[in-house]
Amino acid sequence: MSDKKTFHNIIDGQVQASASGAAMDIINPSTGAVYATAPMSDEHDVDLAFQASAKAFEKWRWSTPSTRQQALLKLADVIEDGAEELIAIEGENTGKPAHLTRSEEVPVMVDQIRFFAGAARVLEGRSSGEYLAGFTSSIRREPVGPVGQVAPWNYPMMMAVWKFAPALAAGCTVVMKPSDTTPASSYWMFEKMQDIFPAGVVNLITGDRDTGAALTRHKVPQLVSITGSTRAGMAVAKSAAEDLKRAHLELGGKAPVVVFDDADLDAAVSGISEAGLFNAGQDCTAATRVIVQAGVYDEFTAKLAEAAAAMKTGFDPADDDIFFGPINNANQLDHISGLVDRAPEHARVVTGGQKIGGDGFFYQPTVIADLEQTDELITTEIFGPVLTVQKFSDEDEAVRMANDTVYGLSSSVWTSNATTATRMSLRLDFGCVWINTHIPLVAEMPHGGFKHSGYGKDLSMYGMEDYTRIKHVMQHHGFEG
């Protein structure tokens, strides 16, 4: 008898296999071994899910904000109470260190769900008024409808929350597809949600890229949302455009981290090494493209390499010293190692630069210095534990280097000069600019980028508004005063 786990689709409140019976293997990235199977859903499964979603929407759309709030608050309590079980599942799902999932993800997810529970009751619009004599105009903010959502593999459970929580708070119904490599934690959450939300309000389908394509081109969803690569986002946008449905895209990044010579170097090294290597650098906001002023370049690079080399990788749920776990999958590991192996002759690998042998998909914490603006390591999203370091002379050059990218998600500035910090925050062309820090996020503030990093905001009231539509209601009453 096999001891492999089996995940399922959840459609209209029912746990079920794919209609065709097709399944896919799920690999534990810490061991490289298959530990579970999940449905390989096809267009028929997607259609069943959206039929259920559309049917449920006809009632859920009229649910009161209080009803939606109470459901989300109950879900937050369930996740909080089941935290240890979910942490163990995510460890097998992604290889993440348990202590960091416990401190950095579960409490944040719970807080974000509770934020959107409150947000359900405070949506605002323009006040009613007479903008034409004899008529009163008002604005209705309505749920956009059933939505299709695709979550990524780097933060499979937290990114799922970023998607379903605002959608449900707004009165939408959801069909979600987790990444084909990391369905476990989403499956756990969506199972729990069936006891909280009416049947068909939240549906889960698993599968590969073809499943995602079937989801985004289906006629029912009025909005499709994806967190993923720029390539995937462009495909979703193209598919959505063919049916004039909305697209919400949170895509790749290549965050510039600008360190001026008046910065607190020790604080900068600590903050940047942690923000660049957290989650093995598998973060679209990761602090990986470091641009340092010439006066402190050598000293900073040496300190950064020392800090990175001290970061421990591996997988042992009981080891609180492990800072990051494995790369998610073999293809991504090959992508990272290929970029480093192809580094130009003028590049200097200061520390790391190698796969770690044995089972699983592990890569050394790596710092590569002396890179030039046109190098592949600078222009390409690495999405791994690799920090690159470049040199600049003055502020204008730093701005040019920082903005010279197709991405526009996040950035940071490290300086003790408040005027420099303010000026840089204006000049950097990114959806977020951190000053003397990098990577903190809060539920109240939006997360989203420009250019090839996509459009649409996650978190905050802006994120919830994306799941609504605006209706103007005008009534003729004849009174002109």
Side-chain angles (χ1 to χ4, degrees), residues 415-447:
T415 177
S416 61
N417 188 311
T419 302
T420 300
T422 300
R423 193 166 53 241
M424 288 293 290
S425 72
L426 302 178
R427 301 181 72 187
L428 290 173
D429 193 20
F430 298 85
C432 178
V433 180
W434 285 290
I435 297 171
N436 292 326
T437 188
H438 194 110
I439 228 167
L441 297 168
V442 292
E444 294 85 355
M445 290 291 114
H447 175 81

Side-chain angles (χ1 to χ4, degrees), residues 60-207:
W60 184 249
R61 68 182 299 182
W62 303 117
S63 60
T64 64
S66 175
T67 296
R68 300 196 293 271
Q69 179 192 51
Q70 292 303 315
L72 286 166
L73 289 174
K74 186 173 182 180
L75 174 61
D77 291 344
V78 167
I79 292 175
E80 193 169 55
D81 292 343
E84 289 306 312
E85 181 182 2
L86 187 54
I87 289 164
I89 288 170
E90 192 73 337
E92 197 168 35
N93 201 32
T94 65
K96 294 186 181 188
H99 72 100
L100 289 176
T101 304
R102 184 178 296 111
S103 64
E104 304 299 324
E105 291 200 43
V106 173
V108 173
M109 292 163 50
V110 169
D111 177 69
Q112 290 162 351
I113 293 171
R114 288 174 176 155
F115 169 82
F116 284 113
R121 301 185 73 162
V122 294
L123 274 176
E124 297 178 352
R126 295 183 184 273
S127 62
S128 298
E130 289 67 52
Y131 302 95
L132 181 65
F135 298 82
T136 295
S137 287
S138 62
I139 295 294
R140 287 180 55 83
R141 187 178 287 277
E142 302 176 339
V144 70
V147 299
Q149 301 180 322
V150 180
W153 48 253
N154 58 331
Y155 294 101
M157 62 184 188
M158 188 156 64
M159 296 296 97
V161 166
W162 285 21
K163 295 189 178 305
F164 70 65
L168 295 172
C172 300
T173 53
V174 169
V175 175
M176 178 171 287
K177 189 195 87 68
S179 168
D180 55 341
T181 63
T182 55
S185 52
S186 293
Y187 180 65
W188 184 92
M189 288 191 292
F190 273 68
E191 262 199 312
K192 302 296 185 185
M193 292 164 77
Q194 303 312 306
D195 295 329
I196 300 171
F197 295 89
V201 171
V202 287
N203 306 274
L204 185 78
I205 56 170
T206 64

Side-chain angles (χ1 to χ4, degrees), residues 37 42 47 110 118 190 200 216 239 246 248 286 307 317 386 395 424 480:
T37 61
D42 58 19
D47 186 56
V110 169
F190 273 68
T216 60
S239 176
R246 297 189 192 184
H248 182 284
V386 179
E395 182 180 314
M424 288 293 290
E480 298 186 12

Side-chain angles (χ1 to χ4, degrees), residues 255-274:
V257 181
V258 181
V259 181
F260 285 89
D261 57 13
D262 62 355
D264 181 332
L265 289 194
D266 289 337
V269 165
S270 177
I272 293 167
S273 60
E274 291 181 6

